[in-house]
Amino acid sequence: MCAFCYLPHVYRGISSECREACELLEYYKSFLEMSAKSFSAVTVATVLTFFLKIQLSVQAPVNGSKWSYIGPDGEKAWPKKYPFCGGVFQSPIDFHKDILQYDSNLLPLEFIGYNVSSTDHFTLTNNGHSVKMYLSPTMSIRNLPFEYTASQLHLHWGNRNKSEGSEHTVGGKHFAAELHIVHYNSEKYPDVTAAMDKEDGLAVLAVLLEIGPFNPSYEKIFRHFRNVKYKDQKVQVPGFNVRELLPARLDEFYRYEGSLTTPPCYPSVLWTVFRHPVTISQEQLLALETAMYCTESDDPEPLEMVDNFRNVQEFHERLVFISFREGFVVSAVIACILAVLTILAVALWLLKKRSCKKEGQDNRGVIYKPGMYKEEEDLSKM
């Protein structure tokens, strides 16, 4: 079960049970090293071969096991075959105010080669878990600790009766679907396979999708779904500007260290989840939720591809760094309104004071005589 004990770059992500097993293996290793001085070479070789066979038998299911989102091979069973799925630094997570911290040093990503010519093609495939599109190796992102080269993008969604298929949530709220664009650290590793189990191996961009106006950019992918209806089917998609799949505001995002959201769940991902969602139409979402199957075309019992999202994971006292000040806009608007009202009040008070002063100045040249009673007036006439 704990096949990755000797991978120090990913050791941090395994569960406590696996750590105990790793410590036991380390004990056996020390024991064998000490015993080699007194045992014969044949005996030591036999014991080493025995433990090697045990380790290989443990490791085999990780490479060959099948998994799904429901049923006996569903999410609850993942840690049994894929130990990292039961470890720490797991994704997805819920973004709530208690774990958010503003970081003024976070820079907007720089996108290189994202505008791919229509003469080039992407390969779109149904892998039995999602619809995945392989990207051009000329695409990359910067303004992260390393430069990361694009590998593929894929989607997660719900079902036609409950369109809440995003993996990440905000304040407990699910979105209709979620797009992931996967990149690998090309400064240190030759390809995504070599990078995927390394602590600094991957960088994934996540886009939250919600229902709204028709999205022509997403339709460049969605219109090919009918050609990848069943597992292992593939189709060529003409190149386009992949940046159009991202939100208009790229400077506001969540950033944290997490994991792959599918087995083997390696804790190797630097996540950038954009704050502002992108809209697709109700019809486009329905096409996503109903177009594909997890099974092959000749399967007598086809399994509809729905609800292919992992549940939110525990966060274990980590922090999510954000590039925006939460609630800043609302506070600024309220402050501006109060400032305007204050200025108006002061201006009215000054006008009123000046008006009163002016009236006092106009009355300076007027001579007031005491009034006489009517009787006094009549006497004077006599």
Side-chain angles (χ1 to χ4, degrees):
M1 222 177 126
C2 305
F4 304 102
C5 295
Y6 302 111
L7 299 178
H9 45 267
V10 291
Y11 181 79
R12 66 171 189 167
I14 62 178
S15 61
S16 58
E17 292 83 357
C18 282
R19 282 199 175 93
E20 291 176 4
C22 289
E23 289 168 0
L24 184 61
L25 284 174
E26 196 65 33
Y27 168 78
Y28 285 135
K29 181 182 175 184
S30 301
F31 172 75
L32 289 171
E33 289 173 350
M34 293 174 62
S35 301
K37 297 178 181 179
S38 54
F39 285 9
S40 68
V42 175
T43 303
V44 173
T46 303
V47 175
L48 282 172
T49 302
F50 171 73
F51 281 110
L52 181 60
K53 287 181 178 178
I54 291 176
Q55 187 175 3
L56 289 175
S57 66
V58 169
Q59 189 170 0
V62 176
N63 295 327
S65 294
K66 65 176 183 177
W67 60 271
S68 65
Y69 287 96
I70 58 172
D73 297 312
E75 188 176 333
K76 291 182 179 179
W78 292 359
K80 296 176 183 177
K81 297 177 181 178
Y82 308 94
F84 289 105
C85 297
V88 295
F89 289 90
Q90 290 298 291
S91 298
I93 62 170
D94 175 57
F95 301 120
H96 54 277
K97 62 180 181 179
D98 294 338
I99 62 171
L100 304 182
Q101 180 172 306
Y102 173 69
D103 185 352
S104 60
N105 295 316
L106 292 178
L107 299 173
L109 294 174
E110 182 182 355
F111 297 88
I112 311 298
Y114 258 55
N115 192 0
V116 178
S117 171
S118 59
T119 58
D120 295 328
H121 288 81
F122 304 118
T123 299
L124 186 71
T125 183
N126 177 335
N127 66 2
H129 304 295
S130 180
V131 58
K132 178 166 69 172
M133 191 172 82
Y134 293 97
L135 300 174
S136 169
T138 60
M139 297 170 54
S140 63
I141 52 175
R142 294 175 182 166
N143 283 348
L144 291 172
F146 304 93
E147 181 168 341
Y148 292 80
T149 296
S151 173
Q152 50 97 347
L153 64 78
H154 60 271
L155 292 133
H156 299 271
W157 60 88
N159 63 73
R160 73 189 80 187
N161 298 317
K162 191 174 183 181
S163 297
E164 296 180 355
S166 70
E167 295 204 305
H168 290 91
T169 58
V170 179
K173 175 192 173 184
H174 273 278
F175 291 80
E178 185 167 330
L179 171 76
H180 291 165
I181 307 180
V182 181
H183 304 72
Y184 70 93
N185 183 344
S186 50
E187 288 189 26
K188 296 183 66 174
Y189 310 108
D191 53 48
V192 69
T193 303
M196 68 186 302
D197 64 344
K198 310 301 191 299
E199 182 179 357
D200 57 358
L202 303 178
V204 179
L205 310 183
V207 180
L208 303 169
L209 303 179
E210 64 181 8
I211 299 171
F214 176 84
N215 193 315
S217 297
Y218 276 78
E219 191 64 17
K220 293 174 183 177
I221 299 174
F222 287 16
R223 66 186 176 209
H224 296 280
F225 285 166
R226 63 181 180 275
N227 297 315
V228 291
K229 187 172 183 179
Y230 298 101
K231 183 182 177 183
D232 296 330
Q233 290 184 334
K234 298 178 181 179
V235 66
Q236 296 299 300
V237 176
F240 62 94
N241 190 351
V242 178
R243 187 168 177 173
E244 294 175 356
L245 302 176
L246 305 178
R249 290 290 302 271
L250 298 174
D251 59 327
E252 295 190 351
F253 52 82
Y254 305 90
R255 173 76 50 76
Y256 78 100
E257 293 183 358
S259 74
L260 298 173
T261 63
T262 59
C265 307
Y266 294 130
S268 58
V269 179
L270 181 61
W271 282 95
T272 300
V273 182
F274 292 106
R275 182 189 188 190
H276 300 283
V278 169
T279 62
I280 58 175
S281 70
Q282 181 70 63
E283 291 73 22
Q284 288 178 303
L285 180 61
L286 185 62
L288 179 63
E289 294 169 343
T290 60
M292 288 164 285
Y293 291 87
C294 300
T295 46
E296 296 176 354
S297 58
D298 58 351
D299 196 300
E301 297 181 1
L303 179 63
E304 195 174 11
M305 189 181 289
V306 293
D307 298 326
N308 61 347
F309 61 92
R310 190 185 190 188
N311 289 316
V312 168
Q313 303 296 298
E314 293 183 16
F315 202 55
H316 296 293
E317 299 180 357
R318 285 176 284 168
L319 284 177
V320 174
F321 297 99
I322 56 176
S323 64
F324 55 92
R325 292 190 182 276
E326 194 177 22
F328 173 77
V329 175
V330 175
S331 300
V333 170
I334 293 173
C336 287
I337 292 172
L338 290 174
V340 169
L341 290 175
T342 302
I343 292 170
L344 286 173
V346 171
L348 288 171
W349 179 77
L350 289 172
L351 285 172
K352 187 175 180 181
K353 186 176 181 181
R354 183 177 296 178
S355 177
C356 292
K357 189 176 180 181
K358 188 176 180 182
E359 286 179 6
Q361 290 174 346
D362 292 343
N363 292 335
R364 283 180 197 169
V366 178
I367 299 174
Y368 292 95
K369 291 183 179 181
M372 293 186 295
Y373 287 104
K374 190 172 186 336
E375 292 180 0
E376 292 178 353
E377 192 176 334
D378 291 341
L379 288 171
S380 63
K381 289 179 181 180
M382 293 174 63

